[in-house]
């Protein structure tokens, strides 16, 4: 079996199964490229983005071309888990200047998503964007201020965590 076949055959609801799949394939030189390619298909997006997030959390990084390929996927992400996984990947990537506008658009869309976890991580995404592109910092702070008045408790908690680690951003 190959990576795609294992994902298709696995119980996608089990993080244990996905973790085992990740362990078997993560050291393959083509792993990231295969995962990004699979994320282009709606039926595999959630699992592919979970694998990508796991890869980052295990200390791996990707090159600019791979970031560009991920950025191209953003308008076509469908389910909230997929969006969440990609948002959770942002702290681990360097955003090329050629992709900052596309990522900004994605973040703005996610800020008004119906899912509170997606919204929470969209605020985090804006903060990550602002760290790399300081022209976004004033707007990010403004977003935080508004969110602390109107957002769900879980979103406020995410923002408080960001502010805590940055001493107020």
């Amino acid at each position: 079996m190959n990576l795609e076949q294992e994902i298709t055959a696995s119980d996608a609801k089990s993080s244990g199964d996905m973790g085992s799949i990740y362990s078997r394939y993560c050291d393959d030189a083509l792993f990231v490229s295969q995962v990004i390619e699979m994320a282009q298909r709606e039926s595999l997006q959630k699992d592919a983005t979970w694998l990508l997030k796991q890869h980052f959390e295990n200390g791996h990084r990707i090159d600019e071309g791979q970031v560009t390929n991920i950025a191209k996927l953003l308008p076509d992400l469908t389910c909230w888990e997929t969006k969440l996984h990609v948002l959770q990947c942002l702290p681990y990537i360097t955003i090329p200047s050629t992709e900052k506008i596309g990522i900004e658009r994605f973040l703005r869309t996610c800020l008004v998503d119906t899912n509170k976890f997606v919204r929470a991580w969209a605020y985090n995404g804006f903060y990550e964007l602002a760290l790399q592109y300081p022209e976004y910092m004033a707007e990010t702070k403004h977003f935080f201020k508004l969110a602390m008045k109107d957002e769900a408790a879980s979103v406020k908690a995410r923002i408080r965590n960001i502010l805590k680690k940055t001493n107020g951003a």
Side-chain angles (χ1 to χ4, degrees):
M1 261 201 243
N2 64 29
L3 176 59
E4 183 178 338
Q5 290 167 332
E6 283 208 45
I7 289 173
T8 303
S10 77
D11 174 9
K13 306 258 185 287
S14 166
S15 61
D17 283 352
M18 290 303 295
S20 294
I21 292 170
Y22 174 79
S23 294
R24 282 194 293 283
Y25 291 94
C26 67
D27 293 326
D28 187 304
L30 297 175
F31 176 76
V32 172
S33 298
Q34 290 172 336
V35 168
I36 293 170
E37 183 180 317
M38 285 187 296
Q40 294 174 25
R41 287 175 272 161
E42 187 174 347
S43 63
L44 297 173
Q45 279 181 356
K46 184 169 70 168
D47 295 331
T49 56
W50 186 93
L51 290 169
L52 188 62
K53 180 175 90 86
Q54 185 68 29
H55 204 56
F56 287 132
E57 289 173 350
N58 284 321
H60 298 276
R61 298 296 172 260
I62 61 175
D63 64 42
E64 186 174 310
Q66 292 167 322
V67 174
T68 296
N69 289 337
I70 292 168
K72 290 176 184 176
L73 298 172
L74 299 179
D76 299 319
L77 299 180
T78 55
C79 76
W80 72 268
E81 293 104 331
T82 301
K83 292 174 189 176
L84 180 63
H85 295 156
V86 171
L87 290 165
Q88 291 172 329
C89 290
L90 290 178
Y92 300 102
I93 66 171
T94 301
I95 300 168
S97 61
T98 55
E99 303 307 328
K100 75 177 182 176
I101 299 299
I103 290 174
E104 175 193 353
R105 284 186 194 121
F106 174 68
L107 293 171
R108 287 184 191 284
T109 301
C110 290
L111 281 178
V112 295
D113 197 276
T114 57
N115 185 282
K116 62 187 172 189
F117 299 113
V118 170
R119 292 195 313 274
W121 281 92
Y123 287 105
N124 192 80
F126 258 106
Y127 174 71
E128 295 296 332
L129 182 65
L131 286 177
Q132 294 181 45
Y133 296 96
E135 64 266 30
Y136 290 101
M137 191 56 78
E139 185 176 25
T140 299
K141 288 180 182 180
H142 181 70
F143 286 154
F144 287 179
K145 185 177 179 179
L146 293 175
M148 293 306 285
K149 293 178 185 176
D150 300 329
E151 272 289 5
S154 57
V155 175
K156 291 176 183 178
R158 178 82 227 133
I159 292 170
R160 280 193 296 275
N161 285 339
I162 297 165
L163 295 174
K164 198 182 308 179
K165 74 178 180 182
T166 64
N167 294 321

